[in-house]
Amino acid sequence: MAEWQRTHTCEQLREEHVGQTITLNGWVLTVRDNGHQIFIDLRDRYGLTQVVFNKADNAELFTQAKELKSEWVVSVTGLVRKRLEGAARADISTGEIEVEAKTLRVLNQCPPLPFEISEFGSELANEDLRLQYRYLDLRRRSLQKVLILRHRLCKVIRDYMDAHNFLEVETPLLGKSTPEGARDYLVPSRVFNGEFFALPQSPQLYKQLLMISGYDRYFQIARCLRDEDLRADRQPEFTQLDVEMSFVEREDVTGIMERLAVDIFDKCLGVKLSVPFPRLSYAEAMSKYGCDKPDLRFGLEIADITDIAGASEAQFFKDAVAAGGVIRAINAKGAAAAQDAKKAPLFSNTALKPGGELAKVTETYRAKGLAWLKVEGGKFTGSIEKFFSDELKAKLTERLGAVDGDLLLIVAGPESVVCDALGALRLHLAARLKLYRNWWEEKAEHDESEKKKADAAKKKKENYAPVPFQPRAEHFNFAWVLDFPMFGWDDEEKKWAAMHHPFTAPMDEDLPHFWQNESLGKVRAKAYDMVLNGYEVGGGSIRIHRQDVQSRVFEILGMNPEEAKARFGFLLDALQSGAPPHGGIALGLDRWAMIIAGTTNIRDVIAFPKNQRARDLMTGAPAQVDDRQLKELGVKLS
Amino acid sequence: MAEWQRTHTCEQLREEHVGQTITLNGWVLTVRDNGHQIFIDLRDRYGLTQVVFNKADNAELFTQAKELKSEWVVSVTGLVRKRLEGAARADISTGEIEVEAKTLRVLNQCPPLPFEISEFGSELANEDLRLQYRYLDLRRRSLQKVLILRHRLCKVIRDYMDAHNFLEVETPLLGKSTPEGARDYLVPSRVFNGEFFALPQSPQLYKQLLMISGYDRYFQIARCLRDEDLRADRQPEFTQLDVEMSFVEREDVTGIMERLAVDIFDKCLGVKLSVPFPRLSYAEAMSKYGCDKPDLRFGLEIADITDIAGASEAQFFKDAVAAGGVIRAINAKGAAAAQDAKKAPLFSNTALKPGGELAKVTETYRAKGLAWLKVEGGKFTGSIEKFFSDELKAKLTERLGAVDGDLLLIVAGPESVVCDALGALRLHLAARLKLYRNWWEEKAEHDESEKKKADAAKKKKENYAPVPFQPRAEHFNFAWVLDFPMFGWDDEEKKWAAMHHPFTAPMDEDLPHFWQNESLGKVRAKAYDMVLNGYEVGGGSIRIHRQDVQSRVFEILGMNPEEAKARFGFLLDALQSGAPPHGGIALGLDRWAMIIAGTTNIRDVIAFPKNQRARDLMTGAPAQVDDRQLKELGVKLS
């Protein structure tokens, strides 16, 4: 070991080390110089240790220490000693001791940085600048914690999958382009000019082939790539936990995966989830929550009132019913009476008028209008009140469980429009009525309050160790959504498209519809989504294991047999080579890391992310390349 | 659970299950029909179980079973019963029982396959055909065992790294092209027409940046890609265990990695390795073994005899010395007296003549001639014997430890030629003299002999459980090779090239040479290779952590400051932002899997490999793509 090398990390020293001569390596976090003593907080991945330079003891060393600046890398050899009475810190694990420096070695200097490395959101530099100097931003303790948690998440997953007999098998990055859905990244080939590999959008076909090969239980934490227009929470490359099992039905897959979720939440967050997760059908999710990934942390369920409102005198309700539409409502419990911080009504009538806060939400989804009723003193008020007879009012009261202070919000129109509009309105209401808390928001408040306590204690020369925040099971509402439609009609392309993917099996009881062209819209698929707090956190299906069924799907999707053979011939052959029943799922690992880390920025959970325009601001990729390289690949720019 | 779903795998049933009604799912391996009974061996990933259909008990079921063919997928419900006396099989774990079928469900049929799935090398179909139907070839038990072992290898590595505080961090696949060494795979970008990403040849710079960010200990089982001409043991995409550590020197890295090797060999193969592994310098490896990845399972060390042979009367030795060359020798112990199976000399004089077996080996490496001496009855014989005085003969005898039966093989010339020639000759001699055994060769012999014992027992109606082969530590000779030259002169390009990579630190004691242009050939690098049985199984270095040193390397490699900035500006900036001393290593995971699985074919350890021309014969990738796709990417074929 070299003289400068550490004997301990910056997190290891305790009272028991007092009197020992040790060496620490790390970064200078802060320097405080009171003229007689210089205190530095030395930081590494593991923690912080205070180092003291005493002018009286060693003037030369003191002068040397005067040079130190933030982010310099140093080696300090010194004596561990107990801090003076009152100087101990309860908020760091090494707070009982400090190191009296005897030797200082500067391992690397650091000129002033392009931005200060701060932990506080409000003080963060512009994100583009931080992405350009990602290696500096990654020094933030909060980002380090996220990446450490992501490592832990993957380790917990692998331990669990291994313990359940799953084999991790690596599948190729260089595959074949099978244009379908999202766009493939293409890779020209030097050996075969004019031909291209494609980077995988998922290992879907490979994992199915592994089942056909008899591997029984497969998983992979797999990198996938899509050359798509980005959204705030997308990256061109992403990671998924990819799983496939043989000789299974739906409940085998969902069961294994929900018990994995229990393990993850327990080991990564200390949260005890209960299983089984609630299951609801796609039809139920759409009618009750207006979407297929319902946020179940709150009620605000949607109720169908087509029969009641359709029987009212309101012409727009009658028209909607006549056009084959539906009328549905949300009872925003207490929203009529709710007040904001200034004691003004939370939702004034203005919010309910066209273009107002609530009406705007439904208008975004092409709903023609937002009707409403308030319940006050046992009576309905509102412009549509007059269209309802007492009998209909009574029915409405019963159907919606309406009581004083409630606000009933009603949308009429085609079912898909009503679902979208009320689904969005439901989320909006829940946020405004504060019906749920994201755990990281609660944590931020908690941490703020603990910091105040610590500050107050400090003023009184007392020592306060902040209590860490502990998320609870109520922060995480998982569910399974089942029985998705198999096909959706693509109005633009005038053809059927697969709702999940073309390898998903139809439900046995819907096979009669499947083999006819007339009722394809009625076919449900053996697909399932894992949903958490309004996000899809996993999606899978039982796959087709019969060649005739797979060929029929390709036919329904508009492929002729030659096309199907050219693109998926190897799969069709494999299905005729002894393919077992099988099914699987994929979980979006980046999303899981975000939830567990408590961040809403996907770039926080990826060490070297692209920005929202899919560019790596640090290396400058993508970039122009040498003509020689292109020539070898047999391509040129167009 | 569906009626057809298994209650047990094909490996689980034992005597304790006798009397239970169970369901198995699997593939029909074999069908034997004696007219009264049909026996099938049912196979899954876990094992084999014998299923019996009795005509007398259930004629309809018997008729149904008559249809079964190899590789059909079935579900069998039946009664577990003990096999008849003498019918038990000791070679499979379910050999005590069989299942009396009560219900048979065919889950999928399988027409005759393009080739038979055989376990025996001699019966294997042509490799291209097997790669085309990879999903069938993957059903071979031996390939399944390899992929299961590869999974175990990765799990052991991850457990070890996690226990030692290493964080697995995913680094990008879409990066920047920094042409250097091997060719990058390029990826055109739809969003930024005319610009390209590059797929990583290794995560080298990212892992260094993680150290600069303070992550302290990083690892990743990372996919890497090189668009290179393939060799038999190369694939365009490969996997490496990538490791980086901060505040370390060489022995920290080598120590962590050799203890990982101990763990891997213990848990994957049951072999107890000893550490530390021997360490030898590059100079020592080259002079003693003629190469930088010596096979240490045998001696046959090379000795320098320039002083002795150069003093002889042989003009060709004198000429070599005058030209600045060296004269070195191998004493092939006992090789002069060695005989082949037919009792003929193993190496006749013909083998030693130009173009003969041994001379040809050295000629391949541009050695001008192979001189030799045999030791018989205490005397040297051979054509060059006459050039040596008695005194020189005595010196030679002492230097080479020559005794009766030895064959001394001598090459003179430039040092690099002599090293290459004698290094190759050493390996050739060791193979011919059978100085080592590959463990899988020993296993093959062992298994063959066990099979004979089992067959013999069977004839005597006895039952013999073959003893599994256990590899031993002596099969695996690890070593570290250290102190590599930092630069090598590229005679074609007329410039210096980095021997390891341009981020490797020079040795401290060689810094004076490093800063001068005159003596760059004398600079040694802080690089180290892990070597096993003549293969490089890992390579790493302590990295440069100072910007001035890194800039100097780029300068030596012929980059002007603008070029260096354009290509590696982010690294140079990062080195000036508080970079700690750091170093790391990468292990070729495919090679490790090959060694542990005991195969010499890299395609055996990859689930879906490319063939030797870098094509995926199963999917046909690479392939032509739609014009529309190319247009979107802004490229066209040239």
Side-chain angles (χ1 to χ4, degrees), chain A residues 218-230:
Chain A
Y218 146 95
F219 84 104
Q220 188 182 188
I221 295 186
R223 204 77 63 83
C224 305
L225 302 99
R226 283 183 199 162
D227 192 6
E228 284 299 300
D229 299 317
L230 299 182

Side-chain angles (χ1 to χ4, degrees), chain B residues 412-426:
Chain B
E415 184 170 7
S416 66
V417 169
V418 173
C419 283
D420 289 349
L422 284 179
L425 185 62
R426 179 175 174 269

